[in-house]
Amino acid sequence: MKTLQTNLLPLHLRAPEGPAPCEHCALRVHPAFLPMTADQRNAIQSFRKGTRLVEAGRAIIEEHRASGQLSTVYSGWAFRFKTLGDGRRQILSFLLAGDFLGLQDEFAEGHTHGVEAVTDVSLCVFERADLWDMFRSQPRLGYDITWLAAREEKLVDDNLLTAGRRTATERVAMLLMHLYRRARHVGLERQGQVEFPFQQQHIADALGLSLVHTNKTLRRLQRMGLFEIERGALRILDPLALESLGDYFERPMRPAPLV
């Protein structure tokens, strides 16, 4: 029986490549994302102000500071979070290639969340001040951003159900399957395993569990032969059992817009 590591470090991950110009973007030819016309692609390129590389453990969006930027994740893993006054943290969602960041602050009173890089993360950057011009001149792009916002709302709904009604075992089983499916969907699967650079504290903060309870639950599921995590990689050994245990039966993921 392999021992579950306390610190799940991404030993095999490569440093992310910087985003290419939109016409040469590797993500745009991936089946996880919807195709677009040359005019739509050129419009996105015209609104893009540059690229950004954020090192692992650094802030992409400061929780209590205003940011004038919107971003699309090109590569790497990150998470959105909020903290209480005493430092307790709730991870709201995990982010990877194709996810759009920073939109909530445009419509909220005050700052809504922070975003932190788990691995090195590369981003395409847009100016928030250009958002209305983008919607007005490119209504299709406006619809795509609305689609992405609606998907994010669904993820928040799922997280609320998990925190409110699932048991600890169900929560962990659901999260493992959810992250595995999302990583596989955007091409991070290699030889039956996906990149999994998270520590147990990330899992605990996402599920509202103590670190001790998270550790015990992970070990229990591993002893059942449902998954293994080694050297920053997750392998699901019995997906049907893990889905059943987590009451997590999702339809195949649809291709998403890429801004």
Side-chain angles (χ1 to χ4, degrees), residues 130-199:
D130 294 337
L131 188 62
W132 175 240
D133 287 340
M134 184 189 297
F135 275 51
R136 183 171 54 189
S137 63
Q138 297 291 327
R140 176 67 199 192
L141 270 181
Y143 177 83
D144 287 346
I145 292 174
T146 302
W147 193 99
L148 293 171
R151 183 183 64 173
E152 185 70 25
E153 182 180 4
K154 179 190 179 300
L155 292 177
V156 172
D157 290 348
D158 291 342
N159 291 342
L160 180 59
L161 174 62
T162 294
R165 292 300 178 188
R166 284 187 169 100
T167 67
T169 299
E170 291 169 341
R171 294 181 199 186
V172 173
M174 182 282 303
L175 183 63
L176 291 175
M177 280 305 307
H178 174 70
L179 293 177
Y180 180 87
R181 291 180 73 244
R182 290 193 65 204
R184 183 178 61 184
H185 184 62
V186 297
L188 297 183
E189 183 181 35
R190 298 291 185 274
Q191 297 179 339
Q193 61 187 18
V194 300
E195 300 174 351
F196 196 82
F198 307 107
Q199 298 179 2

Side-chain angles (χ1 to χ4, degrees), residues 4 176 218 221-222 225-229 234-237:
L4 184 70
L176 291 175
L218 284 166
L221 294 178
Q222 187 184 40
L226 302 184
F227 78 97
E228 62 181 15
I229 297 174
L234 167 66
R235 184 185 302 274
I236 302 297
L237 302 176

Side-chain angles (χ1 to χ4, degrees), residues 61-64 79-93 104-105 108-116 156 205-206:
I61 297 176
E62 296 280 357
E63 187 177 9
H64 301 295
F79 61 87
R80 294 195 310 118
F81 69 95
K82 287 183 70 71
T83 54
L84 296 175
D86 61 4
R88 285 176 292 167
R89 181 178 69 180
Q90 177 67 45
I91 290 180
L92 306 171
S93 61
Q104 291 90 341
D105 277 348
E109 297 178 1
H111 312 310
T112 59
H113 61 264
V115 178
E116 182 177 310
V156 172
D205 288 349

Side-chain angles (χ1 to χ4, degrees), residues 18 27 43 53 71 73 75 92 106 135 150 158 162 191 204 226 253:
L27 296 183
L53 178 63
S71 304
V73 178
S75 63
L92 306 171
E106 178 68 19
F135 275 51
D158 291 342
T162 294
Q191 297 179 339
L226 302 184
M253 291 183 174

